[in-house]
Structure formats: structure tokens, C-alpha cells
Amino acid sequence: MSTNTFNDSTVNHQTFVLIGIPGMEKRNPWMAFPLCLLYLLTLFGNAVILFVIKTERSLHEPMYLFLSILACSDLGLAISTMPTMLGVYWFDSREISFNVCITQMFFIHMFQWIESGILVAMAFDRFIAIRDPLRYTLILSNTVILKIGIAILSRAFCLLFPLPFLIKRLPFCKSNVLSHSYCLHPDTMKLACADITVNILYGLVIVMSTLGLDVVVILISYILILQTVLSIASHTERLKALNTCVSHVCAILIFYIPMLGVTVAHRFGRHLSPIVHMLMANIYIAVPPVLNPIVYSVKTKQIRQSICKMFQ
């Protein structure tokens, strides 16, 4: 008994084990095919969006410049997560070193916070476009958009910079098996055999100061947008103004609903099957980056026409 206690207190894992389909490891390759397809669609869709916005001069407007930043964020998130996910499901390569896990964790969270910040900037963009269309390009000049982009990137980096060090200081002498096929801070810190109060509090501060604040700002922006739209006399002009927001609203729902679903499942869905948790976790990471370019290609006339022109 004393020997086991001693061993538990001195062992510090240098690797973590990622998991695929819980209890059904032999069926992991079946999951690899849809994931690989999603990965290819993500790379192709976002690359097309970036190429079209870069080459089509009529798309050099604030809305589309923000969309190009969103596409870069989606590409970064896909590149950060998909290699290990495909490795787990396709090649049964489940071990990940401690430092690689921390690095992946940092980039996953950073790209998520960047995307949340971009959605806020796009809400502000829609508000200005509807509230003051004549001064739209003057207010949101290229310089202003560049400053907004730098501010979003700086916020994400500065908030997440301490995170790897908060994880690195912890000893890991319990199980080293993670709950997903990629590394997340809440998942990793639960395996530590030390007090993780600081990590929990810091994680809460980050979530409240990014996602919580961003959701409030987006809601306020759309309340102001609705007030402006309702003051327009023409019914046709109202519909036209609201139609310009449809793609952005879809992007908001695509980003926040899976995140909310995973959070609720972790807190209140412990009775659910592990397979349900696995599917929700994969949807949370893999689906938003592939849906965003599809939504904007289908719902935005200028992008749809430019893509058709490119392929013709």
C-alpha cells in the first residue's frame, strides 16, 4: 500500500493518451472517413473564400475582409486539431507528448477566441452598414480593420499566454487518458494530482472576459440593428437590410451552439453514453470551420457569383 502511494506521488506522465470511439476502438477507421472528408472540405472551402476575396476587387470591402480573417481562423483551428484526430481514428496513433499536447491546447483555444472576437467585429460591421451606409467604408477603412484584427489577435494571445505555464507546473500522476482525440485545458487539468483551483479560476476568467463579453456585445449590436431596421419605412428595404445579416447570424449559431452543447453535456450529461460525448466533441471542433464557407458561399450573392465565375 505504501509502495503504491509512493509511486503515485513520484510518477509524472510525459505523454497523454487520446481516445477515439470509447469501447469500440476497432471501428475507429469508420469515423476517420467523415473526419477526413470534413478536413478536406474545410481546407478547400476556406482556401476558395480567401482566393476569391483576394482576387475579386469588388469584394475588397469591410464585410469580406472580416470574412477572410474568419477563414484564416477556421484554417488554423482545423490544422491544429485534425492531424491528431485523424491519427487516432485512422492509424490508432493515440499517444501525444506532454509539450505537443500543451501546444495544441494553446492554439485550439487561441483560434476559438479569435473566431469569437471576429464574430463581434462582424456584428459591429453589420451595425455600421445598416445604421450609416453612406459612411460605411469611411468608418471601417482598411487601417481600422487592420487595427481591429491586431486587437483580436493580441487579446487572444495575451489571455492564453499563461495557460501553458499553469498546466506545466502541475504534476500528473493519475490516469493519463484524455476524453477526446485532441487536447483541451479543462480535460487535461482534471488529470492532475494537485490543487487545480488556480486553473479553474483562470479558465473561468478567460471564458467570461472573452466568450461571455462577446455574446453580450453581439446581442447589443443586434438589438441596435433591429431598432434601425424597424425605423426604415419601406418593407422591402427592411428585408434587404436584414438579409445582409443572415450569413453572420448563421456563423454565430454555428460557433456558439456546439460549444454550448459540449459544455452542457460535460456538466449535466454524465449519464449519457460516451459515444454521445465523443460525437459532440468532434462536431464542436470539426463542423464550424467547414460550415462557415458553405454558408457564406450560399447566402452571399457576391461571393456566390465570384466563385461561379472562378470555376467557369
Side-chain angles (χ1 to χ4, degrees):
M1 185 72 175
S2 60
T3 305
N4 290 338
T5 306
F6 175 77
N7 289 337
D8 287 344
S9 64
T10 55
V11 172
N12 193 15
H13 298 299
Q14 294 303 309
T15 60
F16 289 110
V17 177
L18 305 170
I19 65 167
I21 304 176
M24 303 171 65
E25 285 75 14
K26 291 183 179 179
R27 298 194 179 184
N28 278 345
W30 290 101
M31 192 68 189
F33 285 105
L35 281 175
C36 185
L37 180 61
L38 285 176
Y39 188 44
L40 293 175
L41 285 174
T42 298
L43 296 178
F44 177 75
N46 287 288
V48 167
I49 291 289
L50 289 171
F51 179 78
V52 166
I53 292 174
K54 182 179 184 299
T55 55
E56 190 66 41
R57 292 192 63 84
S58 63
L59 298 180
H60 293 181
E61 295 182 4
M63 172 183 172
Y64 304 110
L65 295 177
F66 283 126
L67 177 58
S68 66
I69 302 174
L70 182 68
C72 289
S73 174
D74 285 336
L75 283 173
L77 184 61
I79 293 169
S80 300
T81 55
M82 282 296 180
T84 58
M85 293 173 73
L86 291 175
V88 169
Y89 289 106
W90 215 316
F91 304 107
D92 199 32
S93 175
R94 298 195 295 162
E95 281 199 356
I96 183 171
S97 70
F98 185 63
N99 289 329
V100 172
C101 184
I102 290 176
T103 303
Q104 184 186 50
M105 175 198 314
F106 175 80
F107 281 106
I108 287 174
H109 290 305
M110 189 174 78
F111 284 120
Q112 286 178 326
W113 293 174
I114 288 173
E115 185 152 342
S116 181
I118 295 166
L119 291 174
V120 173
M122 295 175 86
F124 178 68
D125 165 82
R126 291 298 83 210
F127 170 68
I128 297 297
I130 293 171
R131 187 70 172 262
D132 199 354
L134 297 178
R135 298 177 61 230
Y136 172 55
T137 54
L138 183 64
I139 295 172
L140 290 174
S141 63
N142 289 345
T143 305
V144 171
I145 293 171
L146 179 62
K147 289 178 179 178
I148 291 173
I150 292 172
I152 292 170
L153 178 62
S154 301
R155 182 188 73 160
F157 180 82
C158 292
L159 283 173
L160 290 167
F161 182 74
L163 208 59
F165 301 101
L166 289 175
I167 285 288
K168 212 168 178 62
R169 71 185 178 86
L170 295 173
F172 292 90
C173 51
K174 296 179 181 179
S175 169
N176 65 337
V177 180
L178 296 171
S179 303
H180 308 302
S181 52
Y182 49 85
C183 295
L184 292 178
H185 175 248
D187 193 23
T188 307
M189 72 179 183
K190 290 177 183 176
L191 301 180
C193 49
D195 185 18
I196 58 172
T197 304
V198 174
N199 292 69
I200 294 172
L201 292 175
Y202 191 74
L204 184 62
V205 168
I206 289 177
V207 170
M208 293 303 295
S209 59
T210 52
L211 299 182
L213 182 61
D214 290 351
V215 169
V216 171
V217 173
I218 289 171
L219 286 174
I220 292 172
S221 298
Y222 271 94
I223 289 171
L224 296 174
I225 286 171
L226 286 173
Q227 286 180 345
T228 305
V229 169
L230 291 174
S231 66
I232 300 173
S234 170
H235 180 68
T236 305
E237 290 299 320
R238 287 183 189 177
L239 291 177
K240 185 178 178 181
L242 288 175
N243 192 49
T244 63
C245 300
V246 172
S247 300
H248 181 243
V249 171
C250 290
I252 292 170
L253 297 177
I254 288 167
F255 179 74
Y256 286 109
I257 288 179
M259 184 176 292
L260 180 63
V262 169
T263 302
V264 171
H266 269 293
R267 291 191 177 274
F268 306 107
R270 294 179 182 177
H271 62 284
L272 295 174
S273 167
I275 295 176
V276 175
H277 286 277
M278 180 274 298
L279 288 173
M280 291 185 69
N282 288 346
I283 290 171
Y284 158 66
I285 284 292
V287 172
V290 76
L291 285 184
N292 282 331
I294 293 174
V295 166
Y296 274 93
S297 299
V298 171
K299 298 300 295 182
T300 308
K301 182 180 178 182
Q302 293 90 331
I303 291 180
R304 186 171 64 251
Q305 289 176 340
S306 298
I307 291 174
C308 293
K309 180 183 174 183
M310 181 183 75
F311 284 106
Q312 287 172 356

